[in-house]
């Protein structure tokens, strides 16, 4: 009898597992519009100029590759704090920022810490949400439920339903919030709606855990972090997981951070000791290279300016592709896709279903998520027509099939 008889094979991961399928696909052409990776107009993952220059500076310095402290270097953490909360908070002792393995690593660290408090009865995520949110919090031992967020029939944000839901939650429920560019829908609350959501969370003693993976992909670095900057004024506990994967195009380096706001120095010291303990048991100390690049760019005025304009370019290209996509759909006589222009960030929640996704994959080598999420940031002038044509074909085929029943 094998040691592993009791474990069953799990389904593939809906995002990274899809990329594995894509890699094994030998057909030409094939396009991966599944995973959230920004590709340039030639279909390549860009190496940012700011990153190249930072890497050059690091190479010239050739620092030894010693162990980092468990929570990462102070200089990286301070630069991250400044980017998230503004210069006035870069040395705010009530925010503890810890280097983490990308946004996922930051969420998991936060989840492990919250589990140790023994005070969080439940974690709630949006319906729909990033495919990995449930997995992360359930893996850390939490019960996870969903809150109303998006109506696929009207493509609208369910603001009132969300507020009503929040008001019924038990104290200390942790609410996972997408700080901007909601993944997968691309629909964010308005400024006024955010204010009411945050007020409700504060009033009902809930714990917001902001996931900020797309800072700079909606408006600019400051505006895209405005919910954090609003919430910090309440001086109530909250957590932030931020990722540098997308805005630095440093996906494989796994650079991110977990920031925790807590009111007292005594509490901060306790929290820090637990974070160190969790990190030590999982991966001991964080990796060096990616965080050095990020730190260099964030702390060097010239590199920061270059980076800022590079993120602006990525943002602009995505907006351009949104507009082009809607236009191309119209040319295919698909006029019901104009809502794509109202969405923000890398993705479009297209309204296509699993059947469409399977057909796009099998017949055309186009990979989108089974939920219908399309990575707009992987479209370009060369693949746009092919993609819209294929989508039009699968939609029409499905309509014909439905009619013949
Ligand atoms: C995505 O949503 O596709 C990205 O955040 C990549 C990932 O880890 O799922």
């Amino acid at each position: 009898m094998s040691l592993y008889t009791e474990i069953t094979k799990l389904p593939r991961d809906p995002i990274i597992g899809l990329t594995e399928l894509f890699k094994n696909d030998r057909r030409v052409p094939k396009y991966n519009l599944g995973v959230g990776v920004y590709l340039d107009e030639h279909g390549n993952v860009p190496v940012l100029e700011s990153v190249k220059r930072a890497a050059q500076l690091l190479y010239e310095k050739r620092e030894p590759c010693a162990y980092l402290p468990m929570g990462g270097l102070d200089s990286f953490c301070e630069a991250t704090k400044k980017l998230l909360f503004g210069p006035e908070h870069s040395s705010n002792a009530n925010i503890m920022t810890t280097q983490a393995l990308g946004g996922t690593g930051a969420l998991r660290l936060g989840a492990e810490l919250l589990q140790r408090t023994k005070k969080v009865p439940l974690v709630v995520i949006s319906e729909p949400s990033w495919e990995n949110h449930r997995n992360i919090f359930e893996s850390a031992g939490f019960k996870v439920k969903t809150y109303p967020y998006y109506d696929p029939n009207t493509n609208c944000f369910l603001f009132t339903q969300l507020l009503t839901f929040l008001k019924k939650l038990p104290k200390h429920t942790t609410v996972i919030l997408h700080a901007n560019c909601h993944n997968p829908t691309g629909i964010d609350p308005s400024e006024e709606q955010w204010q009411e959501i945050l007020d409700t969370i504060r009033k009902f003693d809930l714990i917001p855990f902001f996931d900020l993976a797309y800072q700079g992909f909606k408006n600019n670095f400051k505006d895209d972090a405005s919910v954090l900057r609003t919430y910090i004024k309440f001086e109530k506990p909250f957590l932030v997981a931020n990722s540098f994967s997308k805005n630095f195009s440093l996906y494989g380096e796994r650079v991110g951070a977990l920031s925790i706001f807590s009111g007292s120095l005594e509490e901060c010291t306790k929290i820090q000791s637990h974070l160190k303990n969790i990190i030590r048991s999982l991966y001991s100390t964080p990796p060096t290279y990616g965080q050095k690049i990020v730190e260099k760019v964030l702390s060097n005025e010239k590199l920061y300016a270059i980076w800022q304009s590079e993120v602006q370019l990525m943002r602009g290209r995505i907006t351009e592709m949104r507009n082009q996509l809607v236009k191309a759909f119209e040319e295919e006589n698909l006029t019901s896709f104009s809502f794509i222009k109202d969405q923000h960030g890398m993705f479009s929640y297209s309204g296509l279903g699993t059947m469409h996704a399977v057909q796009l994959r099998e017949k055309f080598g186009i990979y989108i998520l089974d939920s219908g999420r399309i990575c707009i940031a992987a479209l370009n002038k060369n693949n746009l027509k092919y993609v819209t044509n294929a989508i039009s074909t699968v939609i029409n085929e499905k309509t014909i099939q439905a009619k013949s029943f």
Side-chain angles (χ1 to χ4, degrees):
M1 187 153 118
S2 149
L3 175 62
Y4 304 105
T5 13
E6 292 303 313
I7 58 166
T8 52
K9 184 173 178 290
L10 294 175
R12 69 167 161 79
D13 179 83
I15 301 178
I16 305 292
L18 191 72
T19 298
E20 284 165 13
L21 279 187
F22 175 79
K23 288 210 169 118
N24 292 331
D25 188 338
R26 296 272 159 261
R27 287 173 295 171
V28 179
K30 57 168 185 170
Y31 300 110
N32 189 358
L33 311 181
V35 69
V37 171
Y38 175 92
L39 303 180
D40 65 16
E41 64 272 31
H42 308 293
N44 299 319
V45 179
V47 183
L48 302 189
E49 181 59 29
S50 49
V51 167
K52 272 190 222 163
R53 292 199 194 183
Q56 183 63 33
L57 292 174
L58 291 176
Y59 178 73
E60 280 159 16
K61 239 170 125 192
R62 284 192 193 83
E63 283 176 339
C65 210
Y67 286 132
L68 290 187
M70 287 172 269
L73 284 181
D74 286 347
S75 51
F76 166 82
C77 297
E78 273 171 28
T80 303
K81 254 195 234 184
K82 189 172 162 189
L83 183 73
L84 297 178
F85 301 100
E88 67 278 26
H89 289 295
S90 56
S91 36
N92 183 341
N94 289 335
I95 314 168
M96 285 152 292
T97 295
T98 303
Q99 189 188 332
L101 304 187
T104 304
L107 285 162
R108 182 64 190 262
L109 274 186
E112 294 294 335
L113 178 78
L114 289 172
Q115 190 58 270
R116 290 188 180 193
T117 67
K118 297 191 168 50
K119 289 223 170 109
V120 176
L122 178 70
V123 171
V124 291
I125 60 174
S126 61
E127 174 58 49
S129 197
W130 177 44
E131 316 269 2
N132 207 17
H133 275 151
R134 177 180 288 280
N135 183 28
I136 291 169
F137 287 91
E138 283 184 348
S139 298
F142 284 108
K143 190 168 165 207
V144 176
K145 284 191 178 170
T146 56
Y147 58 79
Y149 189 82
Y150 178 79
D151 180 353
N153 298 315
T154 57
N155 302 308
C156 285
F157 169 45
L158 297 170
F159 177 54
T160 325
Q161 290 88 330
L162 168 60
L163 283 188
T164 311
F165 182 90
L166 290 176
K167 288 175 188 166
K168 289 187 193 143
L169 290 172
K171 188 176 161 178
H172 292 151
T173 296
T174 296
V175 186
I176 312 302
L177 295 160
H178 302 232
N180 76 336
C181 302
H182 182 268
N183 176 3
T185 67
I187 300 287
D188 294 328
S190 68
E191 221 177 286
E192 295 74 34
Q193 288 171 333
W194 263 125
Q195 191 64 51
E196 240 183 284
I197 295 166
L198 299 181
D199 276 341
T200 308
I201 286 180
R202 174 185 57 90
K203 223 161 98 199
F204 285 79
D205 265 325
L206 308 174
I207 313 289
F209 196 158
F210 299 100
D211 184 352
L212 179 55
Y214 304 97
Q215 193 175 2
F217 274 72
K218 185 173 182 183
N219 290 321
N220 53 57
F221 296 130
K222 187 170 172 232
D223 290 357
D224 290 0
S226 62
V227 286
L228 321 180
R229 294 174 188 210
T230 302
Y231 206 82
I232 199 168
K233 293 191 191 128
F234 295 154
E235 302 202 333
K236 297 273 270 181
F238 71 95
L239 300 89
V240 182
N242 82 290
S243 163
F244 292 112
S245 298
K246 331 279 180 190
N247 53 15
F248 272 87
S249 192
L250 277 177
Y251 304 89
E253 292 296 342
R254 311 308 299 139
V255 202
L258 171 69
S259 297
I260 300 178
F261 179 87
S262 168
S264 78
L265 197 62
E266 195 200 336
E267 238 174 49
C268 287
T269 320
K270 280 198 293 183
I271 293 170
Q272 249 158 0
S273 72
H274 278 271
L275 285 175
K276 283 184 185 168
N277 179 261
I278 296 165
I279 290 168
R280 183 75 171 128
S281 73
L282 288 173
Y283 51 89
S284 196
T285 61
T288 54
Y289 185 67
Q291 66 85 30
K292 277 191 190 173
I293 301 261
V294 170
E295 192 271 335
K296 224 347 93 306
V297 174
L298 293 183
S299 57
N300 177 311
E301 234 174 87
K302 210 165 145 200
L303 294 185
Y304 185 90
I306 298 173
W307 177 57
Q308 202 166 16
S309 59
E310 292 184 296
V311 175
Q312 193 179 345
L313 267 177
M314 293 196 270
R315 185 168 69 230
R317 203 188 82 73
I318 298 174
T319 308
E320 174 62 16
M321 288 328 298
R322 272 187 197 286
N323 296 335
Q324 296 281 333
L325 182 63
V326 173
K327 205 164 145 228
F329 276 139
E330 280 164 4
E331 284 163 13
E332 297 283 347
N333 290 322
L334 295 171
T335 48
S336 53
F337 282 94
S338 56
F339 64 86
I340 290 177
K341 285 194 196 172
D342 303 328
Q343 303 169 335
H344 296 281
M346 279 188 161
F347 307 113
S348 173
Y349 205 52
S350 65
L352 298 175
T354 308
M355 284 300 288
H356 295 123
V358 172
Q359 286 191 32
L360 285 171
R361 192 158 73 229
E362 288 181 353
K363 291 192 179 159
F364 299 97
I366 295 172
Y367 287 67
I368 69 166
L369 298 195
D370 287 352
S371 66
R373 191 191 82 172
I374 297 178
C375 181
I376 303 276
L379 289 173
N380 59 52
K381 286 192 187 109
N382 298 323
N383 63 19
L384 188 74
K385 196 75 204 147
Y386 179 79
V387 169
T388 46
N389 205 281
I391 292 178
S392 164
T393 309
V394 299
I395 288 178
N396 289 332
E397 267 175 21
K398 198 159 174 255
T399 314
I400 292 166
Q401 275 169 11
K403 278 188 186 152
S404 63
F405 265 104

PDB file of all heavy atoms in Angstrom, residues 341-365:
ATOM      1  N   LYS A 341     -14.597  48.961 -21.750  1.00  0.00           N
ATOM      2  CA  LYS A 341     -13.938  50.268 -21.608  1.00  0.00           C
ATOM      3  C   LYS A 341     -14.068  50.830 -20.192  1.00  0.00           C
ATOM      4  O   LYS A 341     -13.315  51.705 -19.802  1.00  0.00           O
ATOM      5  CB  LYS A 341     -14.568  51.254 -22.593  1.00  0.00           C
ATOM      6  CG  LYS A 341     -14.157  51.042 -24.033  1.00  0.00           C
ATOM      7  CD  LYS A 341     -14.557  52.268 -24.830  1.00  0.00           C
ATOM      8  CE  LYS A 341     -14.537  51.963 -26.309  1.00  0.00           C
ATOM      9  NZ  LYS A 341     -15.094  53.046 -27.110  1.00  0.00           N
ATOM     10  N   ASP A 342     -15.071  50.357 -19.445  1.00  0.00           N
ATOM     11  CA  ASP A 342     -15.261  50.877 -18.080  1.00  0.00           C
ATOM     12  C   ASP A 342     -14.409  50.128 -17.055  1.00  0.00           C
ATOM     13  O   ASP A 342     -14.382  50.477 -15.881  1.00  0.00           O
ATOM     14  CB  ASP A 342     -16.735  50.724 -17.637  1.00  0.00           C
ATOM     15  CG  ASP A 342     -17.671  51.413 -18.606  1.00  0.00           C
ATOM     16  OD1 ASP A 342     -17.252  52.429 -19.181  1.00  0.00           O
ATOM     17  OD2 ASP A 342     -18.809  50.909 -18.794  1.00  0.00           O
ATOM     18  N   GLN A 343     -13.759  49.062 -17.494  1.00  0.00           N
ATOM     19  CA  GLN A 343     -12.976  48.264 -16.546  1.00  0.00           C
ATOM     20  C   GLN A 343     -11.544  48.797 -16.448  1.00  0.00           C
ATOM     21  O   GLN A 343     -11.075  49.475 -17.357  1.00  0.00           O
ATOM     22  CB  GLN A 343     -12.975  46.796 -16.998  1.00  0.00           C
ATOM     23  CG  GLN A 343     -14.389  46.229 -17.123  1.00  0.00           C
ATOM     24  CD  GLN A 343     -14.442  44.878 -17.828  1.00  0.00           C
ATOM     25  OE1 GLN A 343     -13.561  44.542 -18.626  1.00  0.00           O
ATOM     26  NE2 GLN A 343     -15.472  44.117 -17.544  1.00  0.00           N
ATOM     27  N   HIS A 344     -10.881  48.472 -15.350  1.00  0.00           N
ATOM     28  CA  HIS A 344      -9.514  48.977 -15.150  1.00  0.00           C
ATOM     29  C   HIS A 344      -8.561  47.836 -14.840  1.00  0.00           C
ATOM     30  O   HIS A 344      -8.967  46.821 -14.307  1.00  0.00           O
ATOM     31  CB  HIS A 344      -9.485  49.956 -13.977  1.00  0.00           C
ATOM     32  CG  HIS A 344     -10.292  51.179 -14.234  1.00  0.00           C
ATOM     33  ND1 HIS A 344      -9.838  52.224 -14.999  1.00  0.00           N
ATOM     34  CD2 HIS A 344     -11.545  51.507 -13.860  1.00  0.00           C
ATOM     35  CE1 HIS A 344     -10.772  53.148 -15.081  1.00  0.00           C
ATOM     36  NE2 HIS A 344     -11.820  52.731 -14.392  1.00  0.00           N
ATOM     37  N   GLY A 345      -7.296  48.084 -15.147  1.00  0.00           N
ATOM     38  CA  GLY A 345      -6.273  47.097 -14.824  1.00  0.00           C
ATOM     39  C   GLY A 345      -6.009  46.165 -15.991  1.00  0.00           C
ATOM     40  O   GLY A 345      -6.381  46.444 -17.128  1.00  0.00           O
ATOM     41  N   MET A 346      -5.389  45.055 -15.683  1.00  0.00           N
ATOM     42  CA  MET A 346      -4.918  44.158 -16.734  1.00  0.00           C
ATOM     43  C   MET A 346      -6.020  43.331 -17.371  1.00  0.00           C
ATOM     44  O   MET A 346      -5.853  42.796 -18.443  1.00  0.00           O
ATOM     45  CB  MET A 346      -3.942  43.158 -16.115  1.00  0.00           C
ATOM     46  CG  MET A 346      -2.567  43.688 -15.934  1.00  0.00           C
ATOM     47  SD  MET A 346      -1.567  42.290 -15.425  1.00  0.00           S
ATOM     48  CE  MET A 346       0.036  42.907 -15.787  1.00  0.00           C
ATOM     49  N   PHE A 347      -7.151  43.189 -16.627  1.00  0.00           N
ATOM     50  CA  PHE A 347      -8.099  42.163 -17.056  1.00  0.00           C
ATOM     51  C   PHE A 347      -9.413  42.704 -17.552  1.00  0.00           C
ATOM     52  O   PHE A 347      -9.828  43.813 -17.211  1.00  0.00           O
ATOM     53  CB  PHE A 347      -8.395  41.206 -15.888  1.00  0.00           C
ATOM     54  CG  PHE A 347      -7.155  40.628 -15.282  1.00  0.00           C
ATOM     55  CD1 PHE A 347      -6.788  40.950 -13.994  1.00  0.00           C
ATOM     56  CD2 PHE A 347      -6.346  39.798 -16.031  1.00  0.00           C
ATOM     57  CE1 PHE A 347      -5.625  40.435 -13.435  1.00  0.00           C
ATOM     58  CE2 PHE A 347      -5.184  39.277 -15.480  1.00  0.00           C
ATOM     59  CZ  PHE A 347      -4.823  39.601 -14.185  1.00  0.00           C
ATOM     60  N   SER A 348     -10.064  41.859 -18.318  1.00  0.00           N
ATOM     61  CA  SER A 348     -11.450  42.114 -18.630  1.00  0.00           C
ATOM     62  C   SER A 348     -12.224  40.860 -18.270  1.00  0.00           C
ATOM     63  O   SER A 348     -11.831  39.749 -18.625  1.00  0.00           O
ATOM     64  CB  SER A 348     -11.598  42.398 -20.115  1.00  0.00           C
ATOM     65  OG  SER A 348     -12.977  42.481 -20.375  1.00  0.00           O
ATOM     66  N   TYR A 349     -13.292  41.089 -17.535  1.00  0.00           N
ATOM     67  CA  TYR A 349     -14.185  39.981 -17.214  1.00  0.00           C
ATOM     68  C   TYR A 349     -15.194  39.980 -18.347  1.00  0.00           C
ATOM     69  O   TYR A 349     -16.131  40.779 -18.348  1.00  0.00           O
ATOM     70  CB  TYR A 349     -14.831  40.265 -15.864  1.00  0.00           C
ATOM     71  CG  TYR A 349     -15.282  39.044 -15.128  1.00  0.00           C
ATOM     72  CD1 TYR A 349     -14.415  37.987 -14.914  1.00  0.00           C
ATOM     73  CD2 TYR A 349     -16.563  38.964 -14.621  1.00  0.00           C
ATOM     74  CE1 TYR A 349     -14.826  36.870 -14.211  1.00  0.00           C
ATOM     75  CE2 TYR A 349     -16.988  37.852 -13.911  1.00  0.00           C
ATOM     76  CZ  TYR A 349     -16.103  36.809 -13.715  1.00  0.00           C
ATOM     77  OH  TYR A 349     -16.504  35.707 -13.015  1.00  0.00           O
ATOM     78  N   SER A 350     -14.983  39.088 -19.299  1.00  0.00           N
ATOM     79  CA  SER A 350     -15.618  39.256 -20.609  1.00  0.00           C
ATOM     80  C   SER A 350     -17.068  38.806 -20.674  1.00  0.00           C
ATOM     81  O   SER A 350     -17.778  39.164 -21.596  1.00  0.00           O
ATOM     82  CB  SER A 350     -14.815  38.466 -21.633  1.00  0.00           C
ATOM     83  OG  SER A 350     -14.905  37.083 -21.316  1.00  0.00           O
ATOM     84  N   GLY A 351     -17.479  37.981 -19.715  1.00  0.00           N
ATOM     85  CA  GLY A 351     -18.827  37.423 -19.803  1.00  0.00           C
ATOM     86  C   GLY A 351     -18.822  36.101 -20.567  1.00  0.00           C
ATOM     87  O   GLY A 351     -19.845  35.413 -20.631  1.00  0.00           O
ATOM     88  N   LEU A 352     -17.692  35.723 -21.145  1.00  0.00           N
ATOM     89  CA  LEU A 352     -17.607  34.411 -21.812  1.00  0.00           C
ATOM     90  C   LEU A 352     -17.595  33.331 -20.735  1.00  0.00           C
ATOM     91  O   LEU A 352     -17.155  33.562 -19.609  1.00  0.00           O
ATOM     92  CB  LEU A 352     -16.325  34.315 -22.652  1.00  0.00           C
ATOM     93  CG  LEU A 352     -16.203  35.322 -23.808  1.00  0.00           C
ATOM     94  CD1 LEU A 352     -14.839  35.195 -24.473  1.00  0.00           C
ATOM     95  CD2 LEU A 352     -17.301  35.093 -24.846  1.00  0.00           C
ATOM     96  N   GLY A 353     -18.064  32.133 -21.108  1.00  0.00           N
ATOM     97  CA  GLY A 353     -18.150  31.060 -20.113  1.00  0.00           C
ATOM     98  C   GLY A 353     -17.099  29.983 -20.345  1.00  0.00           C
ATOM     99  O   GLY A 353     -16.264  30.084 -21.258  1.00  0.00           O
ATOM    100  N   THR A 354     -17.168  28.948 -19.510  1.00  0.00           N
ATOM    101  CA  THR A 354     -16.194  27.857 -19.582  1.00  0.00           C
ATOM    102  C   THR A 354     -16.194  27.193 -20.956  1.00  0.00           C
ATOM    103  O   THR A 354     -15.130  26.873 -21.507  1.00  0.00           O
ATOM    104  CB  THR A 354     -16.510  26.805 -18.493  1.00  0.00           C
ATOM    105  OG1 THR A 354     -16.616  27.485 -17.260  1.00  0.00           O
ATOM    106  CG2 THR A 354     -15.443  25.747 -18.399  1.00  0.00           C
ATOM    107  N   MET A 355     -17.404  27.010 -21.523  1.00  0.00           N
ATOM    108  CA  MET A 355     -17.486  26.365 -22.844  1.00  0.00           C
ATOM    109  C   MET A 355     -16.729  27.176 -23.892  1.00  0.00           C
ATOM    110  O   MET A 355     -16.010  26.637 -24.734  1.00  0.00           O
ATOM    111  CB  MET A 355     -18.965  26.226 -23.279  1.00  0.00           C
ATOM    112  CG  MET A 355     -19.710  25.117 -22.589  1.00  0.00           C
ATOM    113  SD  MET A 355     -18.939  23.536 -22.901  1.00  0.00           S
ATOM    114  CE  MET A 355     -19.379  23.314 -24.612  1.00  0.00           C
ATOM    115  N   HIS A 356     -16.898  28.507 -23.816  1.00  0.00           N
ATOM    116  CA  HIS A 356     -16.175  29.374 -24.752  1.00  0.00           C
ATOM    117  C   HIS A 356     -14.658  29.226 -24.540  1.00  0.00           C
ATOM    118  O   HIS A 356     -13.894  29.113 -25.499  1.00  0.00           O
ATOM    119  CB  HIS A 356     -16.537  30.847 -24.512  1.00  0.00           C
ATOM    120  CG  HIS A 356     -17.964  31.175 -24.806  1.00  0.00           C
ATOM    121  ND1 HIS A 356     -18.800  31.732 -23.879  1.00  0.00           N
ATOM    122  CD2 HIS A 356     -18.702  31.022 -25.934  1.00  0.00           C
ATOM    123  CE1 HIS A 356     -19.986  31.929 -24.414  1.00  0.00           C
ATOM    124  NE2 HIS A 356     -19.966  31.494 -25.655  1.00  0.00           N
ATOM    125  N   ALA A 357     -14.267  29.229 -23.265  1.00  0.00           N
ATOM    126  CA  ALA A 357     -12.834  29.162 -22.954  1.00  0.00           C
ATOM    127  C   ALA A 357     -12.226  27.867 -23.493  1.00  0.00           C
ATOM    128  O   ALA A 357     -11.133  27.864 -24.078  1.00  0.00           O
ATOM    129  CB  ALA A 357     -12.627  29.257 -21.443  1.00  0.00           C
ATOM    130  N   VAL A 358     -12.969  26.771 -23.327  1.00  0.00           N
ATOM    131  CA  VAL A 358     -12.463  25.469 -23.797  1.00  0.00           C
ATOM    132  C   VAL A 358     -12.336  25.477 -25.330  1.00  0.00           C
ATOM    133  O   VAL A 358     -11.317  25.060 -25.892  1.00  0.00           O
ATOM    134  CB  VAL A 358     -13.391  24.325 -23.321  1.00  0.00           C
ATOM    135  CG1 VAL A 358     -13.006  23.004 -23.957  1.00  0.00           C
ATOM    136  CG2 VAL A 358     -13.358  24.212 -21.802  1.00  0.00           C
ATOM    137  N   GLN A 359     -13.345  26.017 -25.980  1.00  0.00           N
ATOM    138  CA  GLN A 359     -13.295  26.038 -27.446  1.00  0.00           C
ATOM    139  C   GLN A 359     -12.192  26.962 -27.967  1.00  0.00           C
ATOM    140  O   GLN A 359     -11.511  26.633 -28.933  1.00  0.00           O
ATOM    141  CB  GLN A 359     -14.641  26.495 -27.994  1.00  0.00           C
ATOM    142  CG  GLN A 359     -15.688  25.418 -27.875  1.00  0.00           C
ATOM    143  CD  GLN A 359     -16.928  25.796 -28.667  1.00  0.00           C
ATOM    144  OE1 GLN A 359     -16.853  26.460 -29.680  1.00  0.00           O
ATOM    145  NE2 GLN A 359     -18.070  25.378 -28.174  1.00  0.00           N
ATOM    146  N   LEU A 360     -12.028  28.080 -27.319  1.00  0.00           N
ATOM    147  CA  LEU A 360     -10.961  29.008 -27.744  1.00  0.00           C
ATOM    148  C   LEU A 360      -9.601  28.320 -27.638  1.00  0.00           C
ATOM    149  O   LEU A 360      -8.724  28.461 -28.489  1.00  0.00           O
ATOM    150  CB  LEU A 360     -10.961  30.271 -26.875  1.00  0.00           C
ATOM    151  CG  LEU A 360     -12.077  31.271 -27.172  1.00  0.00           C
ATOM    152  CD1 LEU A 360     -12.127  32.366 -26.111  1.00  0.00           C
ATOM    153  CD2 LEU A 360     -11.886  31.899 -28.558  1.00  0.00           C
ATOM    154  N   ARG A 361      -9.462  27.563 -26.563  1.00  0.00           N
ATOM    155  CA  ARG A 361      -8.199  26.854 -26.316  1.00  0.00           C
ATOM    156  C   ARG A 361      -8.005  25.742 -27.330  1.00  0.00           C
ATOM    157  O   ARG A 361      -6.980  25.656 -27.994  1.00  0.00           O
ATOM    158  CB  ARG A 361      -8.266  26.295 -24.897  1.00  0.00           C
ATOM    159  CG  ARG A 361      -6.992  25.789 -24.343  1.00  0.00           C
ATOM    160  CD  ARG A 361      -7.046  25.770 -22.842  1.00  0.00           C
ATOM    161  NE  ARG A 361      -7.886  24.721 -22.293  1.00  0.00           N
ATOM    162  CZ  ARG A 361      -8.811  24.941 -21.364  1.00  0.00           C
ATOM    163  NH1 ARG A 361      -9.049  26.163 -20.928  1.00  0.00           N
ATOM    164  NH2 ARG A 361      -9.528  23.947 -20.884  1.00  0.00           N
ATOM    165  N   GLU A 362      -9.030  24.914 -27.469  1.00  0.00           N
ATOM    166  CA  GLU A 362      -8.868  23.715 -28.304  1.00  0.00           C
ATOM    167  C   GLU A 362      -8.820  24.040 -29.800  1.00  0.00           C
ATOM    168  O   GLU A 362      -8.027  23.480 -30.530  1.00  0.00           O
ATOM    169  CB  GLU A 362      -9.993  22.726 -28.000  1.00  0.00           C
ATOM    170  CG  GLU A 362      -9.775  22.115 -26.624  1.00  0.00           C
ATOM    171  CD  GLU A 362     -10.830  21.104 -26.223  1.00  0.00           C
ATOM    172  OE1 GLU A 362     -11.830  20.957 -26.960  1.00  0.00           O
ATOM    173  OE2 GLU A 362     -10.647  20.478 -25.152  1.00  0.00           O
ATOM    174  N   LYS A 363      -9.651  24.972 -30.212  1.00  0.00           N
ATOM    175  CA  LYS A 363      -9.719  25.240 -31.659  1.00  0.00           C
ATOM    176  C   LYS A 363      -8.728  26.300 -32.134  1.00  0.00           C
ATOM    177  O   LYS A 363      -8.309  26.294 -33.277  1.00  0.00           O
ATOM    178  CB  LYS A 363     -11.133  25.697 -32.029  1.00  0.00           C
ATOM    179  CG  LYS A 363     -12.179  24.618 -31.905  1.00  0.00           C
ATOM    180  CD  LYS A 363     -13.453  25.070 -32.572  1.00  0.00           C
ATOM    181  CE  LYS A 363     -14.507  23.982 -32.467  1.00  0.00           C
ATOM    182  NZ  LYS A 363     -15.845  24.521 -32.626  1.00  0.00           N
ATOM    183  N   PHE A 364      -8.414  27.252 -31.246  1.00  0.00           N
ATOM    184  CA  PHE A 364      -7.636  28.403 -31.723  1.00  0.00           C
ATOM    185  C   PHE A 364      -6.321  28.633 -30.979  1.00  0.00           C
ATOM    186  O   PHE A 364      -5.579  29.558 -31.318  1.00  0.00           O
ATOM    187  CB  PHE A 364      -8.489  29.675 -31.617  1.00  0.00           C
ATOM    188  CG  PHE A 364      -9.741  29.616 -32.441  1.00  0.00           C
ATOM    189  CD1 PHE A 364     -10.950  29.253 -31.864  1.00  0.00           C
ATOM    190  CD2 PHE A 364      -9.712  29.908 -33.804  1.00  0.00           C
ATOM    191  CE1 PHE A 364     -12.104  29.184 -32.622  1.00  0.00           C
ATOM    192  CE2 PHE A 364     -10.867  29.846 -34.565  1.00  0.00           C
ATOM    193  CZ  PHE A 364     -12.066  29.483 -33.982  1.00  0.00           C
ATOM    194  N   GLY A 365      -6.042  27.839 -29.952  1.00  0.00           N
ATOM    195  CA  GLY A 365      -4.795  28.044 -29.191  1.00  0.00           C
ATOM    196  C   GLY A 365      -4.825  29.354 -28.406  1.00  0.00           C
ATOM    197  O   GLY A 365      -3.788  29.944 -28.114  1.00  0.00           O
TER     198      GLY A 365
END
